Structure formats: structure tokens, C-alpha cells
């Protein structure tokens, strides 16, 4: 099992640039990819970004391309989400997911989830 702990959320002004962190512990040696998802009030959880743990290849949903950057620090078993030019519609609980054997680009599928961190963007 992999345990994930997110941090870095909070209340930010529109246009702000917070950075989320997700620290992994436990059986991290077999992580294939890690990703970020978000869930806005009244909406389903959606994919935001993912990164291949070994190659560093990245994937983004269209709405965040050019504004968000996912990165990882293998030595610290930590993945980051740098968010720039935040908009009120980015308000959501942001979740980290780790997955073996495949990239975590969908809500379904096996994997480990963090508890989430709230990001609220004030206009």
C-alpha cells in the first residue's frame, strides 16, 4: 500500500500561484505514475495532471495546460502541482493519486488516494 498526504492548499486570490505537494510513503518502489485530480462542489472528480514516475513524462487536461505544471522529486517521493494564473473555476478539493502499472489519468482504476486539500480562489 502507498500512503499519500497532500498539502499546500488554502485561500488564494485570482491570478495567484500556489504549489501543492503530495508526499508518498509505504510501498513507493512500484509506483508507475502519480497524478492530481480535483472535485468542485456539486461536480464529479476530474483529472488534472499526471506524471510518469521514472521518465517524467507529463499529461494535462486541456483547461490547465499552460497554467499548471506537475513535477516530481523521486528522492523525496513527492509530486508537486505548481498552479499559476488561478481562476475562480479552479476552486476545488485537489486529490493526489498513485498508481502501479499505468498512468493515473482516470478516477476509476486501482490506486491510492490522498485525503485531499482544499483550494479556494477568490475573485
Amino acid at each position: 500500500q502507498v500512503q499519500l498526504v497532500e498539502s499546500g492548499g488554502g485561500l488564494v486570490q485570482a491570478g495567484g500561484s500556489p504549489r501543492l505537494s503530495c508526499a508518498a510513503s509505504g510501498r513507493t518502489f512500484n509506483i508507475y505514475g502519480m497524478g492530481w485530480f480535483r472535485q468542485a462542489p456539486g461536480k464529479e472528480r476530474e483529472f488534472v495532471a499526471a506524471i510518469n514516475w521514472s521518465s517524467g513524462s507529463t499529461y494535462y487536461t486541456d483547461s490547465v495546460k499552460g497554467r499548471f505544471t506537475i513535477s516530481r522529486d523521486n528522492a523525496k517521493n513527492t509530486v508537486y502541482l505548481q498552479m499559476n494564473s488561478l481562476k475562480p473555476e479552479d476552486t476545488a478539493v485537489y486529490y493526489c493519486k498513485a498508481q502501479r502499472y499505468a498512468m493515473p489519468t482516470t478516477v476509476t482504476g486501482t490506486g491510492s488516494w490522498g485525503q485531499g486539500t482544499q483550494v479556494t480562489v477568490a475573485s
Side-chain angles (χ1 to χ4, degrees), residues 78-94:
T78 299
V79 65
Y80 304 97
L81 185 68
Q82 177 66 50
M83 304 188 290
N84 298 324
S85 302
L86 278 181
K87 306 174 183 179
E89 51 263 43
D90 293 316
T91 294
V93 178
Y94 282 74

Side-chain angles (χ1 to χ4, degrees), residues 54-98:
S54 60
S55 72
S57 297
T58 57
Y59 306 85
Y60 298 92
T61 191
D62 287 345
S63 62
V64 307
K65 285 181 180 177
R67 298 191 299 126
F68 291 10
T69 302
I70 188 171
S71 61
R72 92 276 193 224
D73 185 330
N74 297 70
K76 295 182 178 180
N77 289 328
T78 299
V79 65
Y80 304 97
L81 185 68
Q82 177 66 50
M83 304 188 290
N84 298 324
S85 302
L86 278 181
K87 306 174 183 179
E89 51 263 43
D90 293 316
T91 294
V93 178
Y94 282 74
Y95 297 90
C96 179
K97 182 180 183 182

Side-chain angles (χ1 to χ4, degrees), residues 2-123:
V2 176
Q3 293 78 44
L4 303 172
V5 178
E6 301 101 331
S7 61
L11 176 63
V12 297
Q13 294 296 314
S17 300
R19 187 179 76 162
L20 305 182
S21 300
C22 174
S25 61
R27 299 172 68 86
T28 59
F29 60 89
N30 57 3
I31 292 176
Y32 184 89
M34 293 185 69
W36 288 96
F37 293 74
R38 65 186 179 186
Q39 187 165 16
K43 295 187 177 182
E44 296 184 350
R45 192 172 300 187
E46 64 174 0
F47 168 74
V48 175
I51 188 165
N52 184 293
W53 200 242
S54 60
S55 72
S57 297
T58 57
Y59 306 85
Y60 298 92
T61 191
D62 287 345
S63 62
V64 307
K65 285 181 180 177
R67 298 191 299 126
F68 291 10
T69 302
I70 188 171
S71 61
R72 92 276 193 224
D73 185 330
N74 297 70
K76 295 182 178 180
N77 289 328
T78 299
V79 65
Y80 304 97
L81 185 68
Q82 177 66 50
M83 304 188 290
N84 298 324
S85 302
L86 278 181
K87 306 174 183 179
E89 51 263 43
D90 293 316
T91 294
V93 178
Y94 282 74
Y95 297 90
C96 179
K97 182 180 183 182
Q99 195 160 330
R100 298 183 298 170
Y101 313 128
M103 290 293 290
T105 56
T106 62
V107 176
T108 56
T110 58
S112 299
W113 290 92
Q115 82 288 352
T117 185
Q118 176 73 47
V119 175
T120 302
V121 184
S123 58

